[in-house]
Amino acid sequence: MIIDQFKLTNKVAIVTGGTRGIGLSIAHALGEAGAKIIVTSRTDKYDGLKSLKEANYDVSFLQGDITKPNEPQKIINFVLEKYNSIDILVNNAGVAQHGTMEEFDDELLDKIMNTNVDSVFRMCRSVLPQMKKQGEGVILNIGSISGLVSNIPQPQVAYNASKAAVHMLTKSLASDFAENNIRVNAIAPGYIDTEMTKLTKENEHWYETWKSMTPLKRMGKPSEIASAALFLCSPASSYITGEVLVIDGGYTLR
Ligand SMILES: NC(=O)c1ccc[n+]([C@@H]2O[C@H](COP(=O)([O-])OP(=O)(O)OC[C@H]3O[C@@H](n4cnc5c(N)ncnc54)[C@H](OP(=O)(O)O)[C@@H]3O)[C@@H](O)[C@H]2O)c1
């Protein structure tokens, strides 16, 4: 049955930044499909972990700052010690910071690039040997429409550049590791209602501009990313690799 191809029974899946927003919703989707999930983040201040436990998934939390160079290998070691395998890696943790190039000093630039690009690179580098050993694996990176178009009105040159890098990292890894039966895809969300967009949503001009430029005339919900994430992490998408799937209510059509 086709529906069985969405099942992830006993698969081991890591979701970075899985304690709130899009990552939490993805963790719920993978857990619902039967995966054992490991979520990471610096904090759990929105009770995301509690909601995953209450849903009765097999879930673990590993606290840490993904920008620390040793953190990715620490996450992989933790998961291997616990489960001895890793089937799915979702690189979701990310930060957004607005500002023009003139406003971006090195400290801000480092924060964006370390979180959104370097940590994704390191997570992939740390997980690939295990996936090669297992003879299969799935990596899903969360990019953004900001890696495809220079969305307005907010200035966010560094964020845009970081997400474009995530898309190209995705394609390069998909090409390099296809022979190992490892699929690498990305999702490029448009404006999604999460903590990340909460403050900026309070800027009426920005919020109205976003909505008016989105053909579906609303922001997306984290669950509208999670359903596609489940598809891309499951055997249902077994012939898809190197894809950057845009989910933006039509924003990039115009
Ligand atoms: N929301 C949108 O409109 C939108 C659009 C396009 C793309 N995206 C992308 O989607 C992903 C998720 O965004 P979101 O909207 O769900 O954001 P969010 O609500 O701010 O959640 C971000 C998650 O990442 C974790 N995180 C951030 N920095 C971290 C670090 N240094 N180390 C470990 N964990 C860290 C956060 O936990 P802690 O803060 O506790 O560490 C949190 O769990 C991001 O990559 C974002 O760029 C979002």
Side-chain angles (χ1 to χ4, degrees), residues 194-212:
T194 67
E195 280 304 308
M196 183 178 274
T197 44
K198 194 175 165 190
L199 280 179
T200 42
K201 209 173 105 180
E202 282 163 14
N203 180 322
E204 209 175 316
H205 169 55
W206 289 9
Y207 185 43
E208 288 309 318
T209 307
W210 296 354
K211 280 196 299 182
S212 69

Side-chain angles (χ1 to χ4, degrees), residues 78-219:
F78 169 85
V79 179
L80 286 180
E81 219 161 273
K82 193 167 169 116
Y83 296 113
N84 207 25
S85 66
I86 301 173
D87 304 294
I88 296 161
L89 167 64
V90 182
N91 286 308
N92 162 81
V95 285
Q97 178 106 27
H98 302 127
T100 62
M101 180 163 274
E102 290 90 337
E103 288 160 346
F104 254 73
D105 58 20
D106 282 350
E107 199 182 326
L108 280 177
L109 181 64
D110 278 354
K111 181 183 161 199
I112 291 279
M113 291 300 172
N114 282 342
T115 317
N116 295 0
V117 185
D118 298 11
S119 78
V120 177
F121 190 103
R122 292 191 188 107
M123 281 301 300
C124 292
R125 190 175 58 193
S126 294
V127 85
L128 280 164
Q130 178 63 25
M131 288 182 170
K132 279 170 80 174
K133 199 166 119 190
Q134 290 177 213
E136 61 180 343
V138 175
I139 297 175
L140 176 64
N141 298 323
I142 306 301
S144 172
I145 54 164
S146 308
L148 300 168
V149 295
S150 183
N151 40 324
I152 54 169
Q154 70 281 13
Q156 48 178 44
V157 58
Y159 182 78
N160 294 353
S162 75
K163 290 300 183 178
V166 169
H167 296 172
M168 199 56 212
L169 179 64
T170 301
K171 287 173 185 284
S172 299
L173 291 179
S175 170
D176 291 352
F177 293 91
E179 65 182 8
N180 302 102
N181 202 22
I182 297 168
R183 296 189 297 114
V184 189
N185 289 296
I187 290 178
Y191 293 105
I192 309 298
D193 206 348
T194 67
E195 280 304 308
M196 183 178 274
T197 44
K198 194 175 165 190
L199 280 179
T200 42
K201 209 173 105 180
E202 282 163 14
N203 180 322
E204 209 175 316
H205 169 55
W206 289 9
Y207 185 43
E208 288 309 318
T209 307
W210 296 354
K211 280 196 299 182
S212 69
M213 290 179 73
T214 304
L216 288 183
K217 299 291 176 223
R218 64 173 176 87
M219 292 179 85

